[in-house]
Structures are given as C-alpha cells and as structure tokens.
Amino acid sequence: MSSRSSFSCNRRANVLLAVSDRLGITVPSSNTDQGAFIFDSADGSKETRRCRAGEKQHFEYAVGENYLGQPIKMPVTIINGERSGPRLLLTAAVHGDEINGVKVLQRMANRYEPTELHGTLVCIHVVNVPGYQAEERYLPIYDRDLNRSFPGLSDGSEASRMAKIIYDQFVSRCDIGLDFHASTRNKLALMHARADMDDDGVERLVNAFGIELVLSGAGNEGALRREATEDGISMATIEMGEANRFQPVLIERAIDGVENVMAEYDLLPETDPDAPEFGKVLQSDGEKEWLRADTGGLVDMKWGPHPIVSEGETICVISDHFAQEEHAVEAPFMGLLIGILANPRVLPGRPLIHLVEISEDEYDEAEATFEELGFQAQRTFHWMGEMSEVIVDTTLDDAKEATEGTLDEG
C-alpha cells in the first residue's frame, strides 16, 4: 500500500471515530489498535510500533547511519489523545541551524497530556540531526539540503533515504502540519508563513495559525511542505527569526499559533482561536524583491523604527573603511522589510534587504502591528533567566496595547 493510500485510510478511520464520538456511539471493532499511531520499528525488523490512544511517548528514532555505522537518531514525541481527532505534525530543524522551532516543539511536547487532546500531536524535534549536531544548515555530507529531498527514495542519496524514512513513518500518517524554520545565518527574518494559499486546506491551516504575513506559492520541489500538500496533507512553513538563536517573543507567538490551529481543528475543542489584526498574502513574485549590494564595504541600516519604508527612502548606506565613499540603497517601492542582513560586512551581490510591497491603505495597520513585533522583538535573552521573561512579557503586553489602541481609534 502506498503512503498516500495508507494516509487516506488513517484519515477515514479518524473521521469515523470523530463522528461516532460526537454522537455518543460506540463503534464495535475487533481492532484493538483503533486510534493508535502505528509506524515501523527502526531496528531493522519488520515489526511495528504503536502509540495507543491515551498514550504519550518520547523516543529516538533511527533514520540513518554515520561514518562509524552508528545510528542517527531523531527525537520524537507523540501525544495520542484519549479521544479521536486529526493528527497534527510539528517539525523543526529541517535546516540544522534553525533552532527557534526546536524550542517551540520542546514546549508543546511538554504542555499537553493525552487527556486534553481530541486527536494526535506528533513532534519531530530535530529533523536534520547531523546538521543540528554540526550547527550547520545542510547535512554536513556534501552540503545536501534535506528540504529538497522529500518524499525521498529508499535507494537514493543519504539525504533522500533519510527523507523517505521520515516521510513514510511520520509525515504521511498525519493530516496537517507546521514546519518551523528561521533565516539562514547572518540574516534576520520577520515572522511570516510560506504556504500554497491556492490550496483550500492550506489556506484554512494558515488562517487558523493567525500570522501577519504570508508568502504564497507551491514551494520548491522536494520541500517538505510542498510534497506533503501535494499528498493531501495540508502543511505550511513558519519562518521566524535568525539561525542559532532562541528568540523568546517569536517562540511565544509561534506557540500561540500552534494552539490556534489545535483549537480550529478541535484538538482543543474548548479553546477559541485568535485572528491577527493585520494580514497580507503575497501571491506574485512581482510584489517582493531582494535588494543587493553593488559594492563592498560596511553597511549602516537607516530604516526604522518600524520595518516599513516609503518609495525612495534610504534603507541603508554602504561605506568604505575611511568613510569617504558612500552608496545609498533606496526603496524601489513602499514596502515591508521581511528579511535583513545581520552581518555588516558585504560584498557586491550580497543580499541586503528582502522587501515586500504594501499599499498606502496598509501602511498604518502594518506600522501598528510591527511596532513591537518587528525586528526589535528578535532580541536574544535566553541566557538572562527571569529577566528574559520580564522582557518578553513587557514586549508582548506593549504590542497588544498598541494594537488594541489602533483598533479602538478605527
């Protein structure tokens, strides 16, 4: 049976259980594993493993071998609710140095118990284990991008073989999914989603998460979200922050988004999802542009305090080390900065700013939304103990007050 067929059977079983549960009907069955999350053992045997309804499991799952023939083990948590419902997949660190999502999954995996869920939460805490261990974006084996390798091949490259195990055993057995990423190193990314909004299931998922900006498109061939969506599993990528950092404000917002999704799909039936006050979906490549350096030197950012610029406004200036020659980079249109260079040293051709176009009607709403939740929210306070909690709470409270004030004025 193909992964798509087995997924369809799992979905039909879940739907039947959900309907019978709501109607108070007991469905007789000789299958004692009804409602279990079943996957293959990773020990080379043909036996299956299962997480039964009402169980929570933390475990490591072998997805390959290293040069010493030792297993590469991926940390996984499955929380299988006592009551039936959809299966939500959360993945992080498909790129090994993008770790904000790792913290999101750690928190989610310990926040809920099976008694609270109507359905199943599957957390793959670190997908790209070799890259994570090496603190690198790609698999440190010929720099292969695991996020161009799905759904994988059993006789393909090392990346393709890993991808196939991950996809067949976990991804294909879920109904919806969120894949957490960050910007590559030396860049910062404003929190946004990447998703195929032409797909009704994906549109519902993204709207449920509640996020201010969505870049719509099918995605690259071999990307996890694209392959899953084409296989009937609605999936979106959440981009947040920078590589090799925990950024608490973004992590908290991501957790809120996951819980919004769980509420929308009745995994948490007694919780109501929250909607964002500002939302924009970009459909075409013409609405966004990477601005690149035409000369080498040192960069001074001039935009601010909000990540929004008007047409013709100077975004940054590149100067030589004597400060005697300067090159201004101007905004080609009114736009929102969703990605910026974090390394002040540049070479010709290096990306400086990822700019997306906004209209004059959207300017005020965008400014209010990103006043406190723009790049200044990406400060890294994970080593500051209780002080970090104060900073996060203050930032989120200020942002909420600013947004509510804007809405009251409207």
Side-chain angles (χ1 to χ4, degrees):
M1 180 181 291
S2 69
S3 62
R4 178 176 295 183
S5 297
S6 62
F7 165 73
S8 298
C9 290
N10 287 332
R11 174 177 281 175
R12 286 194 292 270
N14 279 338
V15 170
L16 177 60
L17 283 170
V19 171
S20 62
D21 184 62
R22 289 170 183 163
L23 295 177
I25 300 172
T26 300
V27 179
S29 173
S30 58
N31 181 5
T32 58
D33 285 323
Q34 189 74 53
F37 190 96
I38 302 174
F39 52 103
D40 294 340
S41 173
D43 59 6
S45 69
K46 294 184 178 181
E47 296 182 359
T48 57
R49 293 182 58 176
R50 63 210 66 219
C51 179
R52 293 183 171 84
E55 286 187 342
K56 180 176 184 176
Q57 296 183 10
H58 300 290
F59 58 92
E60 295 181 331
Y61 193 85
V63 294
E65 295 181 357
N66 63 19
Y67 286 119
L68 299 176
Q70 299 165 334
I72 297 171
K73 294 185 177 181
M74 186 176 67
V76 180
T77 296
I78 299 177
I79 310 173
N80 201 357
E82 290 185 347
R83 296 176 179 271
S84 58
R87 293 173 172 178
L88 170 61
L89 172 70
L90 304 179
T91 55
V94 172
H95 292 139
D97 60 353
E98 300 175 6
I99 66 170
N100 266 327
V102 176
K103 191 64 176 179
V104 173
L105 268 64
Q106 181 195 57
R107 296 270 299 278
M108 294 304 301
N110 286 279
R111 178 168 289 200
Y112 292 103
E113 297 298 326
T115 53
E116 302 172 83
L117 299 185
H118 289 219
T120 309
L121 181 63
V122 180
C123 299
I124 304 180
H125 296 261
V126 176
V127 177
N128 180 358
V129 172
Y132 183 81
Q133 292 174 328
E135 299 184 7
E136 294 182 6
R137 175 181 176 86
Y138 301 125
L139 284 166
I141 310 166
Y142 306 114
D143 288 334
R144 295 192 191 276
D145 189 346
L146 188 57
N147 205 33
R148 299 294 182 271
S149 305
F150 291 97
L153 296 168
S154 58
D155 57 353
S157 67
E158 61 283 344
S160 185
R161 294 178 187 223
M162 286 179 61
K164 181 167 178 58
I165 293 172
I166 295 164
Y167 193 89
D168 287 354
Q169 300 306 318
F170 299 102
V171 181
S172 68
R173 302 174 193 274
C174 293
D175 301 308
I176 52 177
L178 296 167
D179 184 25
F180 289 95
H181 285 252
S183 184
T184 187
R185 67 181 63 195
N186 293 327
K187 294 185 180 68
L188 304 175
L190 202 64
M191 190 169 182
H192 66 277
R194 301 194 178 205
D196 186 358
M197 297 295 278
D198 291 331
D199 183 285
D200 292 341
V202 173
E203 182 181 30
R204 179 189 175 192
L205 174 67
V206 172
N207 289 341
F209 186 90
I211 196 163
E212 291 75 17
L213 180 66
V214 184
L215 303 187
S216 180
N220 294 297
E221 185 175 351
L224 177 55
R225 72 170 174 91
R226 171 173 173 165
E227 301 302 327
T229 297
E230 290 183 352
D231 207 20
I233 308 158
S234 300
M235 195 162 196
T237 294
I238 306 299
E239 298 276 357
M240 47 188 293
E242 62 180 308
N244 290 321
R245 296 288 185 271
F246 282 163
Q247 293 157 302
V249 171
L250 302 184
I251 289 167
E252 290 294 339
R253 295 184 66 232
I255 290 171
D256 289 344
V258 174
E259 292 183 332
N260 278 345
V261 169
M262 295 171 72
E264 167 67 20
Y265 289 86
D266 287 337
L267 275 90
L268 295 174
E270 297 182 2
T271 303
D272 295 323
D274 296 323
E277 285 75 19
F278 170 82
K280 182 173 178 63
V281 177
L282 299 179
Q283 294 284 0
S284 68
D285 290 337
E287 295 176 300
K288 58 183 183 292
E289 181 179 344
W290 269 105
L291 307 182
R292 296 178 179 271
D294 290 329
T295 184
L298 302 176
V299 178
D300 287 312
M301 293 293 175
K302 300 298 183 182
W303 60 272
H306 315 302
I308 301 168
V309 292
S310 300
E311 182 178 352
E313 181 179 338
T314 296
I315 302 178
C316 63
V317 172
I318 303 173
S319 62
D320 63 18
H321 285 75
F322 307 107
Q324 294 181 348
E325 186 174 350
E326 294 186 340
H327 300 269
V329 178
E330 298 180 348
F333 46 76
M334 180 181 291
L336 177 67
L337 285 66
I338 66 168
I340 62 173
L341 181 72
N343 185 343
R345 300 168 296 176
V346 294
L347 297 172
R350 180 158 295 178
L352 297 169
I353 298 291
H354 196 188
L355 191 66
V356 300
E357 190 172 2
I358 61 174
S359 67
E360 291 185 5
D361 293 338
E362 295 170 319
Y363 189 98
D364 290 340
E365 279 188 284
E367 185 178 81
T369 297
F370 294 108
E371 182 171 10
E372 293 293 341
L373 296 177
F375 290 109
Q376 65 267 44
Q378 299 191 19
R379 297 166 294 183
T380 307
F381 298 115
H382 58 282
W383 66 88
M384 293 177 63
E386 293 184 4
M387 178 57 70
S388 68
E389 297 178 8
V390 173
I391 294 170
V392 171
D393 290 342
T394 301
T395 301
L396 291 174
D397 289 344
D398 289 347
K400 184 177 180 181
E401 289 176 7
T403 303
E404 289 176 347
T406 302
L407 292 176
D408 290 341
E409 293 172 8

